[in-house]
Every structure is written in C-alpha cells, then in structure tokens.
Amino acid sequence: MSVLARQISISRNALISLAACLLLTWLLDVCSRFAFLGAQRGAAVHGPYSTIAASALRALTAPAVLDMGEGKHVEEWYGAQMDAEPPSDDDELMNYGLHTDPLHPAAVEHPQAHMANMYAMLADRSPLTSKRVLEVGSGRGGGAAVLSRWHQPAQYVGLDLVATQVSSSNRRLASFGSSPLVFVQGDAQDIPFPNSSFDVVINVESSHNYPNFMKFLKEVRRVLAKGGVLLIEDFRNDDADMNAMMAQLKDVFGEDGVTATNISSNVVASMEMRREYIEERIAECEKFSSRDYCYWYWWGGGTLPTFVFTCQLVE
C-alpha cells in the first residue's frame, strides 16, 4: 500500500470513528433524559422527563405489531397508508377538519389549516401551558406538534398503536428542552404509564376504532392526576350511538364533569371547502385499499354526528 493510500485509509477510519463517537454521545444524552425511573405502573416519578421516561424503554422494546384482536385491521390499514403516503410537512394531520371564522391563530399558517384548527380549538377548552399532556391516538404526530409549539406544555407525549407512525413522528417531530415532545407505541385500552401521570389527555377522531371504549375511558381516568381533563373529539354512526358515548363519559367523569358541543356542521363545512383535496386523497388511498373503503374513510365519518367533549375529574 502506498503512503497516500495508507493516509486515505487512516482518514476514512478516523471519520468513521468520529461519527461513531458523535452518535454514541447523542445516544447517551437521550438515554440520560430517559433514565430508568421505573416503567412499572404506579412507580414514583418526578421531573419534566419523568412520565416519558417511565415507559420509554417499554415502548422501544414493544413488539412491532401488537395483537389487537378484532381491532387489528386498523393497525394494518394505517401501516399500509404510511407505506403508500409517508408523512411530510404538508401532510402530517389526519382528521376531517373544522371550519371556524376565523381559524385559530395556531392553525392559520399550517398547510392543513382546517385539520390543525380541529386540534387548536379543542385544546382551547382547557389550559395546556406547563401541563403534562398525553395524546392517545397521535397518528402522524402533526396535531401534537401544533399544540406543543403553541402551548408549551411541561411535556407532550403522543401514544399510538401503529409502530411506523410512532417511529416516523419521533424522527420528524420529537424535540427536547423546556417543552419536550416524544412519541411512544401503546394500546389505548392499556395505556403504558403510571397512575396520575398527566394533567390533560387529548383524543382526536380515534376512539371510534377502539373495541372497548369504556376500557379506554377507565385507563384515561387512571393516568389523569387529580382535577385532570380529557379533551375528546369524535364521531359516531348516529344520534343513538353518540348519546351512548356521552352516557359512558358521564359514567366515568360524573354528570357534572362533562360538557359537550355539537360540531357536525363545522366539520361538514370544512369538508365541502376542501372537496378537491379530499378527492386527491381518495385517489392516493386507492393505491393500497379499495375505492369504497377510501371513499368512506375520507368522506363518510365527516358526515356523521360529531361532538367535542370536555371531561374533568371532579374533586
């Protein structure tokens, strides 16, 4: 080997070693934030990263596909959607949108303004600043990013069943600092956090997929701290189903702990204003699913009774 070749080889090895050291340093920094504070339910945890740390390792070692029984098709469908339509800065939200005049200031400049508006208007129903926030069913993570930036909670954790959505959200949107945002994999009916871990739980157009809605509500109540709030927005097939949903919320949070607002007309107005966009999304959806199902997914749910609820634990 010539002197020049030997020098080039040494330089390459040095660069590789430097890159490895930098990666190791970054990993150690992240791991220090997610130090073992006890992933066991009910473990005592403290500090701005404590709730995240309590399940970080459990989330990282979770199986790639969770057995959801009758709900497993949901995971498979969203996984296929991630493969066919990966998230981007212009496509990181999934809901039917909310039209208000004016739009919320947090949503005006967003590429998916009406979808961001759904999150922003829901979050205005309870303070998030300096609160510990959990979003169950965080999807592509766009809503979490909007609320985290605007409200600066003490911490914001997005929980989702679909592994590819979680990994993508962490890669694109996770942040650390005074208002950390991170995403973990988990089941809405078996939330992987200790009791009384959060002040606010957010749930946007996700609960209709859960095989056992009441089990989800009981888990939410368990992880909420004293005086905690659930902010939930979703649709149901008809008025009878919506009334049943409201009754279950009142069973868990009490008659006086639940306030409801019908936003069905606002959702329909948003969809009509975005008709061309929705038709484009249906065409993309057909790459991995049937026309009938894609049409229902992008149009159907938005035409059903849709409510937002504020549910507060009454002391």
Side-chain angles (χ1 to χ4, degrees):
M1 181 183 294
S2 68
V3 174
L4 177 60
R6 189 181 302 112
Q7 289 176 339
I8 292 173
S9 177
I10 292 172
S11 298
R12 285 176 177 171
N13 290 338
L15 286 173
I16 292 171
S17 297
L18 176 61
C21 288
L22 289 173
L23 178 59
L24 181 59
T25 301
W26 179 82
L27 287 172
L28 287 172
D29 177 63
V30 172
C31 288
S32 68
R33 300 178 189 271
F34 291 123
F36 253 133
L37 296 176
Q40 301 286 331
R41 247 179 218 164
V45 289
H46 307 280
Y49 293 96
S50 56
T51 301
I52 302 172
S55 71
L57 292 180
R58 176 174 172 177
L60 288 171
T61 58
V65 177
L66 300 180
D67 183 6
M68 277 291 287
E70 64 183 287
K72 189 175 179 181
H73 69 281
V74 173
E75 186 181 7
E76 294 171 343
W77 196 90
Y78 283 110
Q81 184 188 52
M82 285 290 294
D83 291 338
E85 303 176 78
S88 66
D89 292 343
D90 295 329
D91 179 22
E92 61 183 15
L93 283 156
M94 293 191 301
N95 62 67
Y96 285 109
L98 182 74
H99 171 64
T100 57
D101 188 13
L103 295 175
H104 193 284
V108 171
E109 300 298 326
H110 197 283
Q112 295 173 291
H114 283 213
M115 294 181 176
N117 194 48
M118 177 70 82
Y119 271 86
M121 297 300 289
L122 176 65
D124 268 4
R125 298 170 73 95
S126 182
L128 300 189
T129 303
S130 300
K131 302 292 185 180
R132 300 167 298 168
V133 180
L134 170 68
E135 182 182 351
V136 180
S138 53
R140 296 176 171 228
V146 168
L147 298 186
S148 181
R149 285 192 297 264
W150 186 259
H151 291 281
Q152 292 292 295
Q155 59 192 30
Y156 195 117
V157 181
L159 178 75
D160 201 86
L161 178 65
V162 183
T164 50
Q165 291 191 150
V166 171
S167 60
S168 171
S169 296
N170 274 321
R171 186 169 58 252
R172 296 181 58 253
L173 303 170
S175 61
F176 301 99
S178 60
S179 182
L181 168 64
V182 72
F183 300 87
V184 299
Q185 186 183 18
D187 186 342
Q189 299 170 145
D190 185 22
I191 297 174
F193 290 100
N195 299 343
S196 305
S197 297
F198 297 95
D199 304 302
V200 181
V201 172
I202 292 173
N203 189 255
V204 175
E205 285 177 26
S206 179
S207 70
H208 61 275
N209 285 319
Y210 305 161
N212 191 328
F213 181 62
M214 180 57 80
K215 191 173 181 181
F216 158 67
L217 292 182
K218 290 179 178 178
E219 279 291 274
V220 168
R221 178 167 183 148
R222 179 184 65 77
V223 300
L224 277 175
K226 186 177 182 180
V229 177
L230 166 65
L231 301 176
I232 181 170
E233 178 270 331
D234 213 346
F235 57 86
R236 290 296 185 266
N237 289 329
D238 51 36
D239 291 339
D241 283 352
M242 183 57 72
N243 288 335
M245 176 184 179
M246 192 179 309
Q248 289 180 301
L249 288 167
K250 290 180 177 180
D251 282 346
V252 174
F253 289 90
E255 191 75 24
D256 298 330
V258 178
T259 58
T261 303
N262 188 337
I263 61 168
S264 303
S265 61
N266 302 76
V267 174
V268 171
S270 173
M271 294 172 64
E272 288 293 340
M273 296 171 72
R274 297 178 299 116
R275 178 177 289 273
E276 183 177 345
Y277 166 82
I278 292 173
E279 290 296 338
E280 291 174 357
R281 297 310 300 266
I282 290 173
E284 290 296 313
C285 177
E286 288 183 82
K287 295 177 180 178
F288 63 93
S289 191
S290 68
R291 168 74 182 181
D292 288 345
Y293 191 87
C294 291
Y295 190 88
W296 178 89
Y297 177 80
W298 281 102
W299 278 114
T303 64
L304 299 174
T306 306
F307 277 65
V308 294
F309 297 92
T310 304
C311 310
Q312 183 157 19
L313 290 177
V314 180
E315 299 181 14

Coordinates of all heavy atoms in Angstrom, one line a residue, residues 85-143:
E85 N -48.3 6.6 1.6 CA -48.4 8.0 1.8 C -47.6 8.5 3.0 O -48.2 8.8 4.0 CB -49.8 8.5 1.9 CG -50.7 8.1 0.7 CD -52.2 8.6 1.0 OE1 -52.4 9.8 0.8 OE2 -53.0 7.7 1.4
P86 N -46.3 8.4 3.0 CA -45.5 8.8 4.1 C -45.7 10.3 4.5 O -45.9 11.1 3.6 CB -44.0 8.5 3.7 CG -44.1 8.5 2.2 CD -45.4 8.0 1.8
P87 N -45.6 10.6 5.8 CA -45.9 12.0 6.2 C -44.9 12.9 5.7 O -43.7 12.6 5.4 CB -45.8 11.8 7.8 CG -46.0 10.4 8.1 CD -45.4 9.7 6.9
S88 N -45.3 14.2 5.6 CA -44.4 15.3 5.2 C -44.9 16.5 5.9 O -45.9 16.5 6.6 CB -44.4 15.5 3.7 OG -45.7 15.9 3.3
D89 N -44.1 17.6 5.7 CA -44.6 18.9 6.3 C -45.9 19.3 5.9 O -46.6 20.0 6.6 CB -43.5 20.0 6.0 CG -42.2 19.7 6.7 OD1 -42.2 18.9 7.7 OD2 -41.2 20.3 6.3
D90 N -46.3 18.9 4.7 CA -47.6 19.3 4.1 C -48.7 18.2 4.4 O -49.9 18.4 4.0 CB -47.5 19.5 2.6 CG -46.6 20.7 2.2 OD1 -46.6 21.6 3.0 OD2 -46.0 20.6 1.2
D91 N -48.3 17.1 5.0 CA -49.3 16.0 5.2 C -48.9 15.3 6.5 O -48.3 14.2 6.5 CB -49.3 15.1 4.0 CG -50.2 13.9 4.2 OD1 -51.1 14.0 5.0 OD2 -50.0 12.8 3.5
E92 N -49.3 15.9 7.6 CA -48.9 15.2 8.9 C -50.1 15.2 9.9 O -50.0 14.9 11.1 CB -47.8 16.0 9.6 CG -48.0 17.5 9.9 CD -46.8 18.2 10.4 OE1 -45.7 17.6 10.3 OE2 -47.0 19.3 11.0
L93 N -51.3 15.5 9.4 CA -52.5 15.5 10.2 C -53.6 14.6 9.6 O -53.7 14.5 8.4 CB -53.1 16.9 10.3 CG -52.4 17.8 11.3 CD1 -52.6 19.3 11.0 CD2 -52.8 17.6 12.7
M94 N -54.4 14.0 10.5 CA -55.4 13.1 10.0 C -56.7 13.4 10.8 O -56.9 12.8 11.9 CB -55.0 11.6 10.1 CG -53.9 11.2 9.2 SD -53.7 9.4 9.1 CE -53.3 9.1 10.9
N95 N -57.6 14.2 10.3 CA -58.9 14.4 10.9 C -59.8 15.0 9.8 O -59.3 15.4 8.7 CB -59.0 15.1 12.2 CG -58.5 16.6 12.1 OD1 -59.1 17.4 11.4 ND2 -57.3 16.8 12.7
Y96 N -61.1 15.2 10.0 CA -62.0 15.7 9.0 C -62.0 17.2 8.9 O -62.6 17.8 8.0 CB -63.4 15.1 9.2 CG -63.5 13.7 8.8 CD1 -63.7 12.7 9.8 CD2 -63.5 13.3 7.5 CE1 -63.8 11.4 9.4 CE2 -63.6 12.0 7.1 CZ -63.8 11.0 8.1 OH -63.9 9.7 7.8
G97 N -61.3 17.9 9.8 CA -61.1 19.3 9.7 C -62.3 20.0 10.4 O -63.4 19.5 10.6
L98 N -62.0 21.3 10.8 CA -63.0 22.1 11.5 C -63.0 23.5 10.9 O -61.9 24.1 10.9 CB -62.7 22.1 13.0 CG -63.7 22.9 13.8 CD1 -65.0 22.1 14.0 CD2 -63.1 23.2 15.2
H99 N -64.1 23.9 10.4 CA -64.2 25.3 9.8 C -64.7 26.2 10.9 O -65.8 26.0 11.5 CB -65.1 25.4 8.6 CG -65.4 26.8 8.2 ND1 -64.4 27.6 7.8 CD2 -66.6 27.5 8.2 CE1 -65.0 28.8 7.5 NE2 -66.3 28.7 7.7
T100 N -64.0 27.3 11.2 CA -64.5 28.4 12.1 C -64.0 29.7 11.4 O -63.1 29.7 10.6 CB -63.8 28.3 13.5 OG1 -62.4 28.3 13.4 CG2 -64.3 27.0 14.2
D101 N -64.7 30.7 11.7 CA -64.4 32.0 11.1 C -64.2 33.0 12.2 O -65.2 33.4 12.8 CB -65.5 32.5 10.2 CG -65.1 33.7 9.4 OD1 -64.0 34.1 9.4 OD2 -66.1 34.3 8.8
P102 N -63.0 33.4 12.6 CA -61.8 33.0 11.9 C -61.2 31.6 12.4 O -61.7 31.1 13.4 CB -60.8 34.1 12.3 CG -61.2 34.4 13.7 CD -62.7 34.3 13.7
L103 N -60.2 31.1 11.7 CA -59.5 30.0 12.2 C -58.7 30.4 13.4 O -58.3 31.6 13.6 CB -58.6 29.4 11.1 CG -59.2 28.9 9.8 CD1 -58.1 28.5 8.8 CD2 -60.1 27.7 10.1
H104 N -58.3 29.4 14.2 CA -57.5 29.6 15.4 C -56.1 30.2 14.9 O -55.6 29.7 13.9 CB -57.3 28.3 16.1 CG -56.7 28.5 17.5 ND1 -55.4 28.8 17.7 CD2 -57.3 28.5 18.7 CE1 -55.1 28.9 19.0 NE2 -56.3 28.7 19.6
P105 N -55.5 31.1 15.6 CA -54.2 31.6 15.2 C -53.1 30.6 15.0 O -52.2 30.7 14.2 CB -53.8 32.6 16.3 CG -55.1 33.0 16.9 CD -56.0 31.8 16.7
A106 N -53.2 29.5 15.8 CA -52.2 28.4 15.7 C -52.3 27.6 14.4 O -51.4 26.9 14.1 CB -52.4 27.5 16.9
A107 N -53.5 27.8 13.7 CA -53.7 26.9 12.6 C -53.7 27.7 11.3 O -53.5 27.1 10.2 CB -55.1 26.3 12.7
V108 N -53.7 29.0 11.3 CA -53.9 29.8 10.1 C -52.8 29.5 9.1 O -53.1 29.4 7.9 CB -53.9 31.3 10.4 CG1 -53.8 32.2 9.2 CG2 -55.1 31.7 11.2
E109 N -51.5 29.4 9.5 CA -50.4 29.3 8.5 C -50.1 27.8 8.3 O -49.2 27.5 7.5 CB -49.2 30.0 9.1 CG -49.3 31.5 9.3 CD -49.6 32.2 8.0 OE1 -49.1 31.8 7.0 OE2 -50.4 33.2 8.1
H110 N -50.8 26.9 8.9 CA -50.5 25.5 8.7 C -51.0 25.0 7.3 O -52.0 25.4 6.8 CB -51.2 24.6 9.8 CG -50.6 23.3 9.9 ND1 -50.9 22.2 9.0 CD2 -49.8 22.7 10.8 CE1 -50.3 21.1 9.4 NE2 -49.6 21.4 10.5
P111 N -50.2 24.2 6.6 CA -50.6 23.7 5.3 C -51.9 22.9 5.3 O -52.7 22.9 4.3 CB -49.5 22.7 4.9 CG -48.3 23.2 5.6 CD -48.8 23.7 6.9
Q112 N -52.2 22.3 6.4 CA -53.5 21.6 6.6 C -54.3 22.4 7.7 O -54.6 21.9 8.8 CB -53.3 20.2 7.1 CG -52.6 19.3 6.0 CD -52.3 17.9 6.5 OE1 -51.4 17.8 7.4 NE2 -53.0 16.9 6.0
A113 N -54.7 23.6 7.3 CA -55.2 24.6 8.3 C -56.4 24.1 9.0 O -56.6 24.3 10.2 CB -55.4 25.9 7.6
H114 N -57.4 23.5 8.3 CA -58.6 23.1 8.9 C -58.4 21.9 9.9 O -59.1 21.8 10.9 CB -59.7 22.7 7.9 CG -60.3 23.9 7.2 ND1 -61.6 23.9 6.8 CD2 -59.8 25.2 7.0 CE1 -61.9 25.1 6.3 NE2 -60.8 25.9 6.4
M115 N -57.5 21.0 9.5 CA -57.2 19.9 10.4 C -56.4 20.4 11.7 O -56.7 19.9 12.8 CB -56.3 18.9 9.7 CG -57.0 18.2 8.5 SD -56.0 17.0 7.7 CE -57.1 16.3 6.5
A116 N -55.5 21.4 11.5 CA -54.8 21.9 12.6 C -55.8 22.7 13.5 O -55.7 22.7 14.7 CB -53.7 22.9 12.1
N117 N -56.8 23.3 12.9 CA -57.8 24.1 13.6 C -58.6 23.2 14.5 O -59.0 23.6 15.6 CB -58.7 24.8 12.6 CG -59.6 25.8 13.3 OD1 -59.1 26.7 14.0 ND2 -60.9 25.8 13.0
M118 N -58.8 21.9 14.1 CA -59.5 21.0 14.9 C -58.8 20.8 16.3 O -59.4 20.8 17.4 CB -59.7 19.6 14.2 CG -60.3 18.5 15.1 SD -62.1 18.8 15.3 CE -62.8 18.2 13.7
Y119 N -57.5 20.6 16.2 CA -56.7 20.5 17.4 C -56.7 21.7 18.2 O -56.8 21.7 19.4 CB -55.3 20.1 17.0 CG -55.0 18.6 16.9 CD1 -55.3 17.9 15.7 CD2 -54.6 17.9 18.0 CE1 -55.0 16.6 15.6 CE2 -54.3 16.5 17.9 CZ -54.6 15.9 16.7 OH -54.3 14.5 16.6
A120 N -56.5 22.9 17.5 CA -56.3 24.1 18.2 C -57.5 24.5 19.0 O -57.5 25.0 20.2 CB -55.9 25.2 17.3
M121 N -58.7 24.4 18.4 CA -60.0 24.8 19.0 C -60.3 23.8 20.1 O -60.8 24.2 21.2 CB -61.1 24.8 18.0 CG -60.9 25.9 16.9 SD -60.8 27.6 17.5 CE -62.4 27.9 18.0
L122 N -60.0 22.5 20.0 CA -60.2 21.6 21.1 C -59.4 21.9 22.3 O -59.8 21.9 23.4 CB -59.9 20.2 20.6 CG -60.1 19.0 21.6 CD1 -61.5 18.9 22.1 CD2 -59.5 17.7 21.0
A123 N -58.1 22.2 22.0 CA -57.2 22.5 23.1 C -57.5 23.7 23.9 O -57.1 23.9 25.1 CB -55.7 22.5 22.6
D124 N -58.2 24.7 23.2 CA -58.6 25.9 23.9 C -59.6 25.7 25.0 O -59.9 26.6 25.8 CB -59.1 26.9 22.9 CG -58.0 27.8 22.4 OD1 -56.8 27.6 22.7 OD2 -58.3 28.8 21.6
R125 N -60.1 24.5 25.1 CA -61.1 24.2 26.1 C -60.5 24.0 27.5 O -61.2 23.9 28.5 CB -62.0 23.0 25.7 CG -62.8 23.2 24.4 CD -63.4 22.0 23.9 NE -64.5 21.5 24.6 CZ -65.8 21.8 24.4 NH1 -66.1 22.6 23.3 NH2 -66.8 21.4 25.1
S126 N -59.2 23.8 27.6 CA -58.5 23.7 28.8 C -57.1 24.1 28.7 O -56.5 23.8 27.7 CB -58.6 22.2 29.3 OG -58.0 22.0 30.6
P127 N -56.5 24.7 29.7 CA -55.1 25.2 29.6 C -54.1 24.0 29.4 O -54.3 23.0 30.1 CB -54.9 25.9 31.0 CG -56.2 26.2 31.5 CD -57.1 25.2 31.0
L128 N -53.2 24.2 28.5 CA -52.1 23.2 28.3 C -50.8 23.7 28.8 O -49.9 22.9 29.0 CB -52.0 22.8 26.9 CG -53.3 22.1 26.2 CD1 -52.9 21.6 24.8 CD2 -53.9 21.1 27.0
T129 N -50.6 25.0 28.8 CA -49.3 25.5 29.2 C -48.8 25.0 30.5 O -49.5 25.1 31.5 CB -49.3 27.1 29.2 OG1 -49.8 27.5 27.9 CG2 -47.9 27.7 29.4
S130 N -47.6 24.5 30.5 CA -46.9 24.0 31.7 C -47.6 22.7 32.3 O -47.4 22.3 33.4 CB -46.8 25.0 32.8 OG -46.1 26.1 32.4
K131 N -48.5 22.1 31.5 CA -49.2 20.9 31.9 C -48.5 19.7 31.3 O -47.8 19.8 30.3 CB -50.7 20.9 31.5 CG -51.5 22.1 32.0 CD -51.7 22.0 33.5 CE -52.6 23.1 34.0 NZ -52.8 23.1 35.5
R132 N -48.8 18.5 31.9 CA -48.3 17.2 31.4 C -49.4 16.7 30.5 O -50.5 16.4 31.0 CB -48.0 16.3 32.5 CG -46.9 16.7 33.5 CD -46.9 15.9 34.7 NE -48.2 16.0 35.5 CZ -48.5 15.2 36.5 NH1 -47.7 14.2 36.9 NH2 -49.7 15.4 37.1
V133 N -49.1 16.6 29.2 CA -50.2 16.3 28.2 C -49.9 14.9 27.6 O -48.8 14.7 27.1 CB -50.3 17.4 27.1 CG1 -51.4 17.0 26.1 CG2 -50.6 18.7 27.8
L134 N -50.9 14.1 27.5 CA -50.9 12.8 26.7 C -51.9 12.9 25.6 O -53.1 13.2 25.9 CB -51.2 11.7 27.7 CG -51.4 10.3 27.0 CD1 -50.1 9.8 26.4 CD2 -51.9 9.3 28.0
E135 N -51.5 12.6 24.4 CA -52.4 12.4 23.3 C -52.5 10.9 23.0 O -51.5 10.3 22.7 CB -52.0 13.2 22.1 CG -53.0 13.0 20.9 CD -52.7 13.7 19.6 OE1 -51.7 14.5 19.6 OE2 -53.4 13.5 18.6
V136 N -53.7 10.4 23.1 CA -53.9 9.0 22.7 C -54.4 8.9 21.3 O -55.5 9.5 21.0 CB -54.9 8.3 23.7 CG1 -55.1 6.8 23.3 CG2 -54.4 8.4 25.2
G137 N -53.7 8.2 20.5 CA -54.1 8.1 19.0 C -53.5 9.3 18.3 O -54.1 10.0 17.6
S138 N -52.1 9.5 18.5 CA -51.5 10.7 17.9 C -51.2 10.6 16.4 O -50.8 11.6 15.8 CB -50.2 10.9 18.7 OG -49.3 9.8 18.7
G139 N -51.4 9.4 15.8 CA -51.3 9.3 14.4 C -49.9 9.7 13.8 O -48.9 9.3 14.3
R140 N -50.0 10.6 12.9 CA -48.7 11.1 12.2 C -48.0 12.2 13.0 O -46.9 12.6 12.7 CB -49.1 11.7 10.8 CG -49.6 10.6 9.9 CD -50.0 11.2 8.6 NE -50.3 10.1 7.7 CZ -49.8 10.0 6.4 NH1 -49.1 10.9 5.9 NH2 -50.1 8.9 5.7
G141 N -48.6 12.6 14.1 CA -47.9 13.5 15.1 C -48.1 15.0 14.8 O -47.7 15.8 15.6
G142 N -48.8 15.3 13.7 CA -48.9 16.7 13.3 C -49.7 17.5 14.4 O -49.3 18.7 14.6
G143 N -50.8 17.0 14.9 CA -51.5 17.7 15.9 C -50.8 17.9 17.2 O -50.8 19.0 17.8

